[in-house]
Amino acid sequence: MRLSHVISALEELYPPAWAESWDAVGLVCGDPGQDVGRVLFAVDPVAAVVDEALEWEADLVVTHHPLLLRGVHSVAATTPKGRLVHRMITNGIALHTAHTNADRAVPGVSDALARAVGLTGGLRPMVPADDDPRRGLGRIGELDEPVALREFTRRAAAGLPSTAWGVRAAGDPDRPVRTVAVCGGAGDSLLGTAQAAGVDVYLTADLRHHPASEFAEQGGPALVDAAHWATEWPWLADAERRLAGSSPEAGKLETRVSTLVTDAWTLHDEGAQ
């Protein structure tokens, strides 16, 4: 399958126009005319993922996070990102990114996160898109039955890939939880949205001390904070399935979801007990 056709299929699923204005999505490197037989899906475009792509002989790597989010004046191999670009081009590996356009899609990153932590039934965006209220940022849904916050936190940890960061919660451990808001990746900008929605708990990543502490003092939803990478990783399998189902030709591609843990945090020590 030509790379240009694979990219067209991905952009049909995750249109670049849905991305935030500051974002950098789409084809990063690769010849649109090259043939693609193997596609590797990963969260981060980092050296370990490129190593995996080389070992597996992938022709295309699809990542959630951009490699070149901010403008650059050089991709010389004297920098880590420059070296990645050189390695991929030298070995004929293309790189495509679907970031905030995948966050806003339906199903998108937060749909996969919601299912991973146990939400069932219908989901609705926390922040609906102006042109289509079915899609947008974050998701709100319900558990089959209420559980205590401590149990929901345990289930979330079991449903997400394990990381050194782990899963932590803020709130009464015995608080009943049924209605849940989730946002894959850094979601502290939606704290007020979660409170206004009247949910029992809000699960996201990268929550900072002061916003979380102030939020808890307001008596709103409980908070569950997971590793950034872990909250976005469930989307990879969904993107893989959707690409395979986009056409008979795409269904013949060999695809693989990377299980490498590329979260930035690699060690957790609870200290003296």
Side-chain angles (χ1 to χ4, degrees):
M1 191 173 179
R2 290 286 179 88
L3 174 60
S4 59
H5 296 160
V6 181
I7 298 305
S8 293
L10 288 167
E11 292 188 343
E12 182 72 22
L13 297 170
Y14 310 108
W18 292 354
E20 298 281 0
S21 60
W22 49 262
D23 206 359
V25 301
L27 186 63
V28 179
C29 65
D31 181 350
Q34 74 184 69
D35 290 330
V36 171
R38 289 183 170 180
V39 183
L40 177 68
F41 290 83
V43 174
D44 296 300
V46 293
V49 169
V50 175
D51 290 342
E52 180 179 4
L54 286 168
E55 181 180 356
W56 188 53
E57 298 182 348
D59 305 298
L60 169 64
V61 177
V62 177
T63 62
H64 181 52
H65 291 147
L67 176 64
L68 305 172
L69 182 58
R70 295 175 178 83
V72 298
H73 299 287
S74 169
V75 289
T78 54
T79 66
K81 291 187 177 183
R83 284 192 290 274
L84 284 187
V85 171
H86 278 263
R87 289 181 68 199
M88 288 185 287
I89 292 176
T90 299
N91 291 280
I93 300 173
L95 174 64
H96 178 85
T97 294
H99 191 211
T100 53
N101 48 330
D103 289 334
R104 293 179 178 275
V106 56
V109 172
S110 290
D111 295 273
L113 172 60
R115 300 310 184 197
V117 300
L119 275 64
T120 58
L123 299 172
R124 65 185 189 276
M126 295 179 67
V127 183
D130 292 336
D131 61 339
D132 186 349
R134 296 173 301 171
R135 61 176 188 82
L137 295 177
R139 292 294 183 270
I140 297 173
E142 293 193 348
L143 303 171
D144 281 335
E145 59 183 13
V147 298
L149 176 61
R150 70 173 75 249
E151 174 61 16
F152 174 74
T153 305
R154 186 195 66 78
R155 293 184 187 182
L160 296 174
S162 179
T163 63
W165 183 273
V167 177
R168 55 190 184 175
D172 180 353
D174 296 318
R175 174 180 181 153
V177 167
R178 182 158 194 176
T179 304
V180 179
V182 303
C183 180
D188 63 358
S189 64
L190 299 182
L191 283 169
T193 304
Q195 183 162 13
V199 301
D200 300 313
V201 64
Y202 176 40
L203 183 152
T204 188
D206 294 346
L207 290 176
R208 294 169 295 155
H209 172 81
H210 291 296
S213 177
E214 292 168 6
F215 186 81
E217 290 294 309
Q218 297 173 10
L223 296 175
V224 174
D225 181 60
H228 190 122
W229 173 86
T231 64
E232 295 173 330
W233 184 84
W235 168 76
L236 301 179
D238 187 59
E240 178 189 40
R241 286 191 298 270
R242 296 190 74 199
L243 175 62
S246 64
S247 72
E249 191 177 17
K252 296 177 183 177
L253 293 169
E254 290 186 66
T255 58
R256 174 174 173 175
V257 169
S258 176
T259 58
L260 292 173
V261 178
T262 56
D263 193 64
W265 304 101
T266 58
L267 182 64
H268 178 83
D269 188 339
E270 294 184 0
Q273 300 297 310

